[in-house]
Structures are given as structure tokens and as C-alpha cells.
Amino acid sequence: MFYREAGQFKTTYRADQAVFPIRQDLIGIVILMAFLVVVVPLTFNDFWISSVMIPTLIFALAAIGLNILTGFAGQLSLGTGGFMGVGAFACYKLTTIFPEVNIIVHIALSGLFAAGVGFVFGLPSLRVKGFYLAVATLASQFFLEWSFGRIPWLYNYNASGAIEVPNKYLFGIPIAGPTASAEARYLVVLAFVVVLTFVASNLVRGRFGRAWMAVRDMDIAAELIGIRLLPTKLMAFTISSYFAGVAGALMVFMWLGAAEVASFDINVSFQILFMVIIGGLGSIMGAFLGAAFIWNLPILLRGVPKFFGLDINAATVEHIQFMVVGGMIIFFLIVEPSGFARLWQITKEKLRRWPFPY
Amino acid sequence: MSFKKLALGIGAAGMLASGLFAASTPAQAEDTIYVPLLTYRTGAFAGSGVPIANGLHDYLAMLNERDGGVGGARLIIEECETGYNAQKGVECYESTKGNGAIVYNPFSTGITLQLIPKAPVDEIPILSMGYGLSATAVGETFPWTFNAPATYWSQMSAIITHINEQGDGIAGQKIGFIYLDVGYGREPIDLLDALAADMGFEVVKVPVAVAEMQSQSSHWLQVRRENPDWMIMWGWGAMNPTAIKEAINIDYPMDRFIGVWWSGGDSDLRPAGDDAIGYLSANFHATGTDFPAIQDILTHVVDAGLSQASRESVGENYYNRGLMNSVLIAEGIRTAQELTGKVAITGADMRMGLENMNLSEERLAEIGLAGFTNPITVTCEDHAGAHPIYLQQWNGAGWEAASDWITPMRDRVRPLLEAAAEAYVADKPDWETQSCN
């Protein structure tokens, strides 16, 4: 009843190609943005902003990056954690070499370093495919992890090998470092995520995105219709790594405040891959749903026993959490292999027919 | 999946989320003190983490059961599982600090490093007992961080002192240093290099990455090739038993193999059993249950079923380590209560309490731990104090003291600590220091 595009006539190609061609979608996104920009910072407490909202957005950004590569271009990658690390360490080096430049610029630039590294590690993708490519990207993950630990220049030769975030300001307001409020950090992360999501959603429905999908569905056919494989795959690697790099820089500078090699280990790569799979391969919306689900499920599970007044000790909850997350992944792979994005689509279709389904 | 099921699922999730909201509201009443414990009972470091978590919890629980808390304030003890993962540790910190936490014990140098800059902002002190950033011993620079009874650097200097006192001294000898390649293991390297230059010994460094913790044969091949006169180990978790096993495999003399005080868990040595006899580990407290306070734990907590520890594991080295940490928490609270006259203290009061703590021999006897450790005093200038440590030796079933109390080289270490503290704040123009005069 409410969610129907009946009566919305498009008279120009421009209107037809709009990001949100359906008016209800546009209204929905405006309401959502208003909620995220105004309501969240004003009403949510510190824990909700810094342990739920910020990580969800950052992981969603990384998941969009991996989704571009795996979901749209069909190149399986296990190196996301490493590329996030490149972004984080690049941002750290930039802040120490050019301390006078604003942190926002540094974060945006740090993605370029990750993109460069992604470009290099994407080179084998023309020759290696499928599982073998996954192993090649796994090599990049281990190589990058090794570099973060063993090249002291990257962490400014400090004894601990960890990188730390100094206080950084935007218009005199601290937005990074220990004195920055959760709200300020959240708004910076939100701005980055919104802008980059907009870029990604336009990329994937444009020429690049169509070329990626053609390569994903059948690379020989794509080659035959005139898509050059290497530049297309490399573009996917480069852009995907840019997203991962920015997510990594945001993770250290806007969320954790400090990081060591372990923050970018193979588990992070897997975690983001699960987000993409559970969220839905080849869907930007899915990246958000998957990130929100994988990140917040443990937090939710920790809250469940307390909600029912049970006093279960922390370690047991942790073990239960491993089992539940594992079970959920298997469940979703069987029941809904296309992930949350598909569920979202089904919901939209049902809403269209509501309240008179047939 | 049908739409109805999905809607039900969303509804259920929403209910749970609202439950979480309710659960995260502050729990501090008039006469309670909230003590969050960052512990780890899961993952590759659980072997070391479980006995520490038990010791930490049981002493505080015993104070609750026997005395109704500390100074009339009942302690609300809550564990948060970190898995020795810095990211999860920060999450634990963020989710518990709002409940009125008075002190944090990260039990991980990685987590400590991340919390150091947060402590002054949230006004909650960090007690990193014998670990963390050595430079935080400089109280003027780090008002909110405590690492009594001794820093890693003090400890390393004491171990080197011990080696120097054996036989012909340390000059000209080759010292192997095998360490977990994370912030924790790298921490003492600066001092070791400085001492090597001063005292004329050679250092061979053998880093062990976290991923290689349980397969160290190549590392120990390197040790065999280099054949160092002494081995010093900065290991943790699953690295310890593996290193000891590999050292036995290459026939390295056990009585020349010295572990940091985090490489001396009973569960680390037990798999090697008699083969590991002679292995040395640093320590700053006693092992065993021969203390009235530990007997009280057995009666009031363990036998009452309030602990996760088995009766036999009470008194193990790491159990007593966790207990020692809780003793410092309790004494910090007591000192803070005396200084402020308040019962329910805040993080800022706790900071004052820790800074003025004086755990004298009389005080130790009062709390039923006479001779458990050397007296510990913390001052405004020195948040660690170069308290003496001793070496203990594995006898196949337990630990025996193998040296007298060794005094660290305070004169040598303190200037280095001050330089390191200065370097830490050099790029932080708004860092808050304190004046101690």
C-alpha cells in the first residue's frame, strides 16, 4: 500500500537513472540519514556509539570493499585484513611525517597506499583463478602482516611495535585520539562511509560494475564481448583495496586509538569475508547487513543471559558465542545462500503487496 | 525463509537489544565498588589466563564473603573476556567503564598500551602489575598508570645481575633472548641492548611470532647453532610449554634457561615434568597455600563452590599471581578510603590510593599474607618501585626458591625509563603530567 511506485512516471533518462528511482526509497534514506546524523549522536550512550555504531560502519566499509572484489568481480580474496593494515600504517606514517595536514585528508590518502599494494597483489589474478587466487591473496595477507611486525620504520621504531593515535582536530574539535568524544568520531566515520558508499553504489551500476559482473559470470564470454580482463580485474583489486585501506585507517584512528599487528591478522580477513557472505555477495546493502549482524551478534549474545537474569561467566558466553556464530553461518548458507540482501529484497516485494498478498 | 519468520526474528532481536540497553545501565549504589576484571579463559593464551583469572576473582570474592567487601563497600566483581586480544580488550573497557569502574587490570601489554591514553580522559587508573609499558613507572609523566612491583626493565636488569653473579660474570658471554613477537616481548629489548653495550655481553634475539607459538623447532635450531651461554625467555600462553619442550629436545641445560615471571606457569612446566627440572623463572611472590588468606579463600570461596578453580590449582604460581593483583586492588581501595573518608570511592580516589599504597610487612601480616611478597611501596614519582625479585626453580612438580631477593639496577634503569617516558609524550602536546613536589 505505502511502498508502491505506481504513479511515479519517469519522463527523462536522468530521472530513470537516479540512485533512488522510487520515491519511498528516497524518503526512507532521508529518514535513515536524519536518524544516523541527528538522533544517534544525541541519544545513544558512549557504549552504543563506540562499540556498536562505529565498528559496524567501519566493517561495513571494509565489507563493501571486499564485496566489490569478491561479490561483483568474482575474485575471492583472503587479504582484506592486510589491506586494512596498509591503510592504517600508511595513515600513521602520514600523520607523523605531515602532522600539520588534517587527519581527514590523511585517511582519504591512506586508502591510495592500500590501493597501490592491492594493485600489485592483484597482478597474479589474470593467471590464477578461484581457489588458487584465494591462496595468492592469503600470501599477501601473511606478507603484509610480517611487514607490519618486522619493518620498524612503519611503527616509528617504538619499542612496543604498536601504533598510537595522537590527538587530531577538525575546526578545533578533537576528532581522533583519546580526548575525542565518541560522537565526533562517529560523525567522521559516518561521513566517510556515506560518501564512499555513494561512490561504490554508482561504480557498481556503471561501466566498471557491469564489466566486473561480466568477468564474474564468465570471464571468457566477457573477453569475447570486448572486456579487457587484466585492467578490469586490477581495477577491482585497486578500488577494493582503497575501501579496505580507508576502513583500516578509520578503524585505528576513529575507533581503537591504537593498534598492533594482531589487529590486522587473518581473522579479520575471515570476519569480513563472513560479513560479505552472510550479507549477500554482490550487494552493497548486504555489506551493511552482514557487518551489523557479524559484529553485533556477540554483543547481543553477551546481553542475553543478563536480560534473563542469568549469571553466566564471561568465558562460557564466549564459547557459546563461537558455537552460535558458527551455527548461524551454516544455517544461512543452507537456508538463504544469497544472504541478508536477498531477505531484504523479499521484504521489499512483500511490502509492495501488503496488505493484500496473493 | 518466509516473511513471517523474518518478522518474528526481527521482533525477537529487538527485544533482546532492549534488554541489552537495560543491562548496561550503571549498577553502582551507595556502598558498592565496581571492579571489572579483564580476563581471558579462551583462546591460545587461556593456559596462562585461567589460573590468573581464578586468583584475581577468588581473593576479591573472599573479601566479599569474609569481610563483606573492603572497608564496608561490597565489591561488584565482573569478568569480561578479552581472549588476550587488544581489540576485544578495548571493547570490554568501553562497555564496563560506564558502570563506575575504579581500576583496570588488562593482563595484556597490548591492551595496556591502548588503555594508557584513555585512562586520564576517563579518570580510571590502570594497574598493570609487573607488565605493560615500563616507562609508565615514571609517575610524573603517567599519573594514571601503575606497574608495581617492578617493570619489565627492572626485571631484566635483575636477571642480568643474577647471571653476572654466577661464575666468571657476564662479560664476554652470549645471551639468547627468545620472545613472543608482540609489544610485550619486544618491551625489554631496549634495556637489554643498553646493558649488553655496558657490560660487554652479546645478545642473540629469537623472535617467535604468535602464529608460530606452537611450532618453534626452527627457532630452537637457531639456538642450537648459536649455542648461547644463557637463555632468557619472554613468553606467554602456548609459547611457554612449546619452548620448554623444544629446549629439552636440543638438550639445552635447564638451569641456564630463565623465564620472565610470565613464563612460569605450573601448566607450562607440567607437560615436560621431570625433564624440565632446573628451569628458572623470575617471581615476586610466593607460591603454595601456606598463608591464612589463601586458607580463607579455600574455606569461603573454593569449598563454597563460588570459584571456577579446582582445589588443587589454588596456590599455583599464576593463581597466586592473580591473587597478588587483587591484593594490590584491595589495598589501593583501602588506602583510598582512608585518604578520602569515603566508602564508595571513584576512579580518581583509587588513583590516589594506589599512589600512596604502602604494603608493609606488618600490613601483609594483617591481611594474612606474611612473607607472601617483599613489602611494596608506591610513590608519586615511581609507580613501579624497583622492588626486589627472586628466581624460582622447577622441581618436577612445583616451584622452589632458587635465589635470594635480587635488587634491580635502579640507577641504571631509571634514567632509561625517564628517557622513554619523555619519548612517549614527545609527540603528544596535550599529554597531562603531574608534579610530585
Side-chain angles (χ1 to χ4, degrees):
Chain A
M1 189 160 67
F2 302 109
Y3 188 71
R4 298 189 86 157
E5 68 265 44
Q8 300 175 22
F9 301 111
K10 305 284 188 297
T11 50
T12 57
Y13 282 118
R14 217 184 143 69
D16 205 28
Q17 288 172 348
V19 182
F20 301 106
I22 302 171
R23 195 183 303 134
Q24 285 88 338
D25 278 357
L26 191 64
I27 295 169
I29 208 79
V30 168
I31 292 173
L32 179 68
M33 286 308 298
F35 176 77
L36 290 177
V37 174
V38 181
V39 180
V40 170
L42 288 180
T43 58
F44 281 30
N45 66 18
D46 253 23
F47 170 72
W48 274 81
I49 293 180
S50 57
S51 295
V52 176
M53 295 307 291
I54 293 179
T56 304
L57 286 172
I58 291 172
F59 280 119
L61 189 62
I64 290 174
L66 184 62
N67 222 334
I68 287 176
L69 187 60
T70 307
F72 287 98
Q75 312 295 308
L76 185 57
S77 166
L78 294 175
T80 321
F83 296 132
M84 288 174 78
V86 173
F89 277 88
C91 195
Y92 177 66
K93 284 310 284 186
L94 285 172
T95 52
T96 46
I97 298 171
F98 307 105
E100 63 284 349
V101 178
N102 196 287
I103 182 73
I104 304 280
V105 180
H106 283 319
I107 292 176
L109 287 180
S110 59
L112 294 180
F113 290 86
V117 175
F119 178 86
V120 173
F121 284 105
L123 284 173
S125 64
L126 186 67
R127 294 297 168 98
V128 264
K129 284 175 193 154
F131 287 123
Y132 302 97
L133 182 65
V135 174
T137 53
L138 196 62
S140 80
Q141 166 75 38
F142 285 127
F143 171 75
L144 291 171
E145 244 182 80
W146 176 88
S147 320
F148 302 146
R150 291 299 168 78
I151 303 177
W153 178 78
L154 285 175
Y155 48 85
N156 288 352
Y157 302 96
N158 64 11
S160 61
I163 54 176
E164 275 157 9
V165 178
N167 282 326
K168 292 283 170 188
Y169 302 88
L170 180 69
F171 311 126
I173 302 162
I175 55 166
T179 52
S181 68
E183 289 82 1
R185 288 182 289 126
Y186 164 75
L187 288 174
V188 173
V189 172
L190 184 66
F192 265 101
V193 173
V194 167
V195 170
L196 286 173
T197 307
F198 183 73
V199 171
S201 66
N202 277 307
L203 267 177
V204 297
R205 63 198 198 112
R207 193 164 61 88
F208 285 131
R210 278 155 211 271
W212 290 334
M213 285 185 261
V215 171
R216 173 192 66 191
D217 291 342
M218 195 176 184
D219 55 354
I220 294 176
E223 207 173 3
L224 283 173
I225 59 169
I227 293 168
R228 290 187 299 157
L229 289 187
L230 187 62
T232 310
K233 286 180 178 178
L234 280 184
M235 187 58 95
F237 264 102
T238 312
I239 292 175
S240 154
S241 307
Y242 180 84
F243 278 77
V246 171
L250 287 174
M251 183 168 134
V252 175
F253 280 76
M254 296 294 150
W255 173 34
L256 294 175
E260 46 185 357
V261 189
S263 312
F264 305 104
D265 66 1
I266 182 80
N267 295 325
V268 181
S269 297
F270 277 121
Q271 203 176 14
I272 291 163
L273 189 64
F274 293 152
M275 287 171 185
V276 170
I277 292 172
I278 289 203
L281 285 164
S283 160
I284 301 281
M285 185 70 199
F288 283 92
L289 296 175
F293 178 78
I294 296 267
W295 178 258
N296 296 313
L297 182 68
I299 299 177
L300 198 66
L301 282 179
R302 248 172 278 159
V304 171
K306 267 194 207 162
F307 179 67
F308 291 108
L310 295 170
D311 188 23
I312 299 178
N313 69 60
T316 315
V317 171
E318 186 83 3
H319 288 132
I320 293 173
Q321 180 188 318
F322 283 136
M323 292 189 280
V324 171
V325 172
M328 291 289 249
I329 287 174
I330 295 170
F331 174 80
F332 267 98
L333 288 179
I334 294 170
V335 177
E336 193 54 88
S338 326
F340 283 131
R342 175 81 189 127
L343 291 179
W344 175 245
Q345 214 177 348
I346 294 172
T347 314
K348 285 210 313 196
E349 271 161 30
K350 298 269 180 193
L351 271 176
R352 237 174 230 203
R353 290 174 203 142
W354 187 84
F356 303 112
Y358 48 82
Chain B
M1 183 181 264
S2 74
F3 181 65
K4 198 189 261 176
K5 278 189 206 153
L6 179 72
L8 276 174
I10 292 173
M15 271 175 60
L16 293 174
S18 56
L20 198 63
F21 254 122
S24 56
T25 45
Q28 188 153 354
E30 189 50 48
D31 49 355
T32 59
I33 294 175
Y34 178 69
V35 187
L37 302 176
L38 305 192
T39 56
Y40 36 104
R41 297 171 184 270
T42 63
F45 297 93
S48 305
V50 169
I52 289 182
N54 287 336
L56 265 171
H57 171 271
D58 291 358
Y59 183 76
L60 297 176
M62 184 272 283
L63 292 180
N64 268 347
E65 295 301 312
R66 191 189 64 185
D67 312 336
V70 179
R74 196 171 173 83
L75 305 173
I76 299 172
I77 312 160
E78 189 179 2
E79 284 190 39
C80 188
E81 173 71 30
T82 70
Y84 198 67
N85 175 316
Q87 213 160 304
K88 273 195 186 155
V90 173
E91 205 195 308
C92 276
Y93 175 83
E94 294 290 342
S95 65
T96 51
K97 75 177 185 196
N99 299 352
I102 51 146
V103 66
Y104 278 94
N105 319 269
F107 268 101
S108 148
T109 295
I111 301 174
T112 309
L113 289 173
Q114 308 223 8
L115 298 188
I116 288 169
K118 293 183 196 279
V121 180
D122 298 323
E123 302 206 328
I124 305 170
I126 295 165
L127 172 60
S128 52
M129 180 193 69
Y131 56 91
L133 186 69
S134 293
T136 55
V138 182
E140 289 105 325
T141 315
F142 296 96
W144 291 90
T145 316
F146 298 83
N147 49 1
T151 64
Y152 280 139
W153 291 9
S154 295
Q155 179 178 194
M156 181 57 100
S157 73
I159 292 175
I160 295 293
T161 306
H162 174 80
I163 295 176
N164 197 26
E165 283 164 2
Q166 315 296 313
D168 305 332
I170 199 168
Q173 291 202 327
K174 195 191 263 188
I175 308 292
F177 179 56
I178 186 162
Y179 61 100
L180 187 63
D181 198 6
V182 295
Y184 147 65
R186 284 191 281 249
E187 170 66 19
I189 290 179
D190 283 356
L191 180 85
L192 191 60
D193 286 340
L195 290 180
D198 275 12
M199 301 170 75
F201 61 91
E202 191 191 335
V203 180
V204 180
K205 293 178 198 125
V206 188
V208 178
V210 173
E212 296 162 1
M213 269 193 325
Q214 278 154 300
S215 57
Q216 296 175 28
S217 39
S218 63
H219 304 92
W220 285 90
L221 266 182
Q222 188 190 345
V223 172
R224 184 155 71 173
R225 211 169 40 239
E226 299 275 358
N227 196 18
D229 298 287
W230 291 83
M231 281 301 290
I232 299 175
M233 170 157 76
W234 244 244
W236 189 226
M239 173 174 168
N240 293 335
T242 318
I244 289 160
K245 196 186 75 198
E246 292 290 344
I248 293 167
N249 280 352
I250 67 160
D251 279 334
Y252 194 84
M254 276 294 143
D255 53 356
R256 297 177 87 81
F257 187 11
I258 306 177
V260 65
W261 50 52
W262 303 114
S263 295
D266 293 47
S267 56
D268 295 339
L269 273 299
R270 223 174 276 130
D274 286 352
D275 292 336
I277 289 176
Y279 173 81
L280 295 156
S281 167
N283 208 344
F284 52 82
H285 59 74
T287 55
T289 57
D290 251 351
F291 300 93
I294 300 181
Q295 291 304 322
D296 284 347
I297 290 180
L298 285 171
T299 41
H300 291 282
V301 183
V302 178
D303 291 346
L306 298 173
S307 168
Q308 295 187 50
S310 63
R311 209 169 201 286
E312 309 81 69
S313 70
V314 176
E316 282 183 359
N317 190 17
Y318 284 169
Y319 185 93
N320 285 11
R321 187 75 46 83
L323 184 150
M324 168 95 190
N325 192 119
S326 283
V327 170
L328 295 185
I329 297 175
E331 288 310 298
I333 294 173
R334 206 163 319 210
T335 315
Q337 286 169 334
E338 276 166 21
L339 287 172
T340 60
K342 286 194 255 180
V343 177
I345 58 162
T346 63
D349 302 332
M350 182 66 177
R351 194 200 76 79
M352 220 161 43
L354 287 170
E355 197 158 76
N356 294 294
M357 188 165 55
N358 183 8
L359 196 55
S360 61
E361 257 171 66
E362 299 80 58
R363 184 69 202 141
L364 279 168
E366 264 174 60
I367 58 175
L369 289 168
F372 185 70
T373 178
N374 222 44
I376 292 171
T377 47
V378 181
T379 62
C380 173
E381 293 86 18
D382 197 341
H383 279 188
H387 295 100
I389 65 169
Y390 75 100
L391 294 182
Q392 55 183 8
Q393 195 157 31
W394 181 251
N395 64 12
W399 296 99
E400 286 166 12
S403 80
D404 289 335
W405 290 96
I406 310 164
T407 311
M409 310 174 198
R410 190 179 191 280
D411 304 341
R412 185 74 189 80
V413 174
R414 180 71 188 183
L416 288 171
L417 287 174
E418 278 166 7
E422 211 151 286
Y424 182 90
V425 297
D427 58 345
K428 299 177 185 65
D430 352 326
W431 188 262
E432 271 177 49
T433 57
Q434 65 172 350
S435 161
C436 285
N437 301 313

